């Protein structure tokens, strides 16, 4: 039995010309639910993905854009974990890595998951 | 912008008379997405929840019903982790604990999440 539920659509900014190639990441067909859920089971990572979903102003964003008060090495680790799980795509622009959410791949494989992230509220305090 | 997506409905077996009280668990209002995703970011736990969603034959099920080839202490740990995250409810029947999925609570707080679990396929090999 099924009922109907609205599906959120997240706008994806257009890809500029000449963007660098993505850093290594799993193919869409190789995304694993347990791995994606593990990558999202952290408030900082949920905050990153939610901000990209709801507030993206460009095709992809460097870690400074997120305004996260954490050491650079910690942020590098979290952004890499999101990419290696297949949640985000990262590209290297000179010394800077920028991230975007793999909206189409995740919606195709795990429909509705990104809506849960978008609706997440950070823990209080 | 939204489109429409079918929502799965999972049948919940009726509650028998005189079931024991649930073991300690978070209230529905206190469920946290990051905690629930963490509890589900494990193939064994996904297997447990998926089997309960798709194959439940009774109101709740003891760990032997799942046919998992793991030491009892490991299973106890995993079932407790699911309960403490709010994914399952456990009740003590004499020496035995039985689990059920908190379908209504999870669907209300995180609509669509259980459908992803039901559609999950275990890793090959």
């Amino acid at each position: 039995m099924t009922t109907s539920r609205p599906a959120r659509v997240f706008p994806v900014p257009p890809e500029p010309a000449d963007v660098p190639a993505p850093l290594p990441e799993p193919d869409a067909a190789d995304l694993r639910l347990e791995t994606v859920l593990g990558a999202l089971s952290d408030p900082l990572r949920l905050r990153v993905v939610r901000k990209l979903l709801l507030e993206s102003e460009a095709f992809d964003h460097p870690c400074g854009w997120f305004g996260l008060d954490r050491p650079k090495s910690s942020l590098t680790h979290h952004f890499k974990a999101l990419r290696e799980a297949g949640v985000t795509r990262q590209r290297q622009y000179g010394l800077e890595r920028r991230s975007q959410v793999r909206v189409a791949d995740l919606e195709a494989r795990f429909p509705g998951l990104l809506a849960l992230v978008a609706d997440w509220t950070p823990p209080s305090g």
Side-chain angles (χ1 to χ4, degrees), chain A residues 55-69:
Chain A
E55 301 174 29
S56 277
E57 301 159 333
F59 180 64
D60 47 12
H61 289 277
C63 82
W65 176 77
F66 295 88
L68 300 164
D69 184 22

Side-chain angles (χ1 to χ4, degrees), chain A residues 36 39-40 44-46 48-49 77-89:
Chain A
V36 168
L40 293 172
L44 186 136
R45 294 182 208 159
L46 283 173
V48 163
V49 178
H77 160 75
H78 284 298
F79 279 92
K80 184 181 178 194
L82 286 169
R83 168 172 56 87
E84 290 182 341
V87 176
T88 56
R89 174 165 295 148

Side-chain angles (χ1 to χ4, degrees), chain A residues 104-120:
Chain A
D105 291 339
L106 291 166
E107 284 287 284
R109 287 294 311 281
F110 310 120
L113 181 60
L114 292 180
L116 297 179
V117 176
D119 290 340
W120 174 76

Side-chain angles (χ1 to χ4, degrees), chain A residues 8-24:
Chain A
R8 294 272 281 279
V9 177
F10 299 101
V12 178
E15 180 169 333
D18 300 323
V19 295
L23 294 171

